[in-house]
């Protein structure tokens, strides 16, 4: 693995000190901040985004604690009901949250039926962007809606080969993509990375997806090597600066 500083745009903290909810009968193992930091030190992580998953549903206590422990350079991606107040959004923003997530794949989040109104609202109130965990093939009828939103990213390269044409259309229209979860996708990672880079080199953002819960294969350091090989001179941007700009890391918490 080459010597690049990394902004890890997608990882999970699963701390059983806080509420953790079974999803489809599965309960993940404990993976707290200390466990993550072992990997982060090895990978030269200088910052990142803690992403709320189906197991956290709408709980914010674990996220606030994780952001306090991780410190500067780290931000949060949360799940919220559309009924959340503007004051609650603002308070979470002060704690370091920078995005709201729609977990279409696993549940535990607000319905994608509220995507347009909620995405616009959190951006207006706090400048947040919106993240989508979904098979991009399921977004074909929402391309116009999504591309019209202030700022959106799609997790895990859009997950499937069938979704790649939709994902590429979204990239052409300004949507960002997380190069994450290579062990859970059903597509040719190298091809997807190359095609995204051909359209917009600023769109792609690396994330480890640690601890790779329910992935067929967990994250490996070789995943970073693969990215470096495919993106060439844009490695620093894909591994760090694209995401730092998207998550507004220079803005004070």
């Amino acid at each position: 693995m080459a010597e690049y500083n990394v902004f890890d745009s997608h990882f999970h903290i699963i701390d059983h000190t806080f509420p953790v909810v079974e999803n489809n009968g599965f309960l993940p193992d404990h993976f707290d901040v200390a466990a993550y930091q072992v990997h982060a030190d090895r990978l030269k992580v200088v910052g990142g985004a803690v992403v709320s998953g189906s197991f956290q549903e709408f709980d914010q206590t674990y996220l606030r604690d994780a952001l306090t422990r991780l410190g500067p350079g780290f931000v949060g991606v949360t799940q919220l009901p559309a009924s959340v107040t503007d004051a609650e959004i603002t308070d979470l923003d002060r704690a370091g949250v920078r995005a709201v997530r729609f977990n279409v794949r696993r549940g535990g989040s607000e319905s994608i039926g509220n995507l347009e109104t909620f995405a616009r609202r959190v951006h207006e109130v706090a400048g947040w962007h919106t993240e989508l965990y979904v098979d991009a093939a399921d977004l074909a009828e929402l391309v116009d809606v999504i591309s019209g939103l202030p700022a959106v990213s799609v997790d895990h390269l859009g997950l499937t080969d069938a979704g790649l044409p939709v994902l590429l259309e979204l990239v052409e229209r300004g949507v960002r993509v997380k190069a994450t979860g290579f062990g859970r996708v059903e597509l040719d990672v190298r091809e997807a990375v190359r095609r995204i880079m051909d359209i917009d080199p600023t769109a792609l953002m690396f994330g480890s997806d640690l601890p790779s819960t329910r992935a067929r294969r967990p994250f490996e350091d070789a995943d970073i090597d693969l990215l470096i090989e495919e993106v060439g001179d844009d490695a620093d941007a894909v591994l760090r600066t694209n995401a730092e700009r998207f998550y507004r890391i220079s803005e004070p918490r």
Side-chain angles (χ1 to χ4, degrees), residues 32-125:
D32 62 12
V33 168
Y36 173 74
Q37 287 174 327
V38 172
H39 297 273
D41 290 345
R42 185 184 76 254
L43 299 175
K44 298 190 67 177
V45 170
V46 296
V50 185
V51 177
S52 293
S54 59
F55 306 110
Q56 274 101 18
E57 294 188 332
F58 297 136
D59 175 59
Q60 309 300 324
T61 56
Y62 97 93
L63 185 56
R64 289 176 180 274
D65 179 79
L67 291 176
T68 298
R69 292 174 185 275
L70 287 162
F74 288 86
V75 294
V77 178
T78 194
Q79 296 174 160
L80 290 168
S83 59
V84 66
T85 67
D86 289 357
E88 289 172 302
I89 294 170
T90 301
D91 186 55
L92 286 168
D93 185 70
R94 292 194 192 100
V97 175
R98 292 293 179 265
V100 66
R101 190 185 198 212
F102 286 78
N103 192 332
V104 182
R105 184 76 162 186
R106 300 288 190 188
S109 70
E110 181 56 79
S111 164
I112 200 167
N114 289 320
L115 171 63
E116 184 170 13
T117 55
F118 199 24
R120 291 187 182 281
R121 181 171 163 232
V122 297
H123 188 270
E124 180 179 342
V125 171

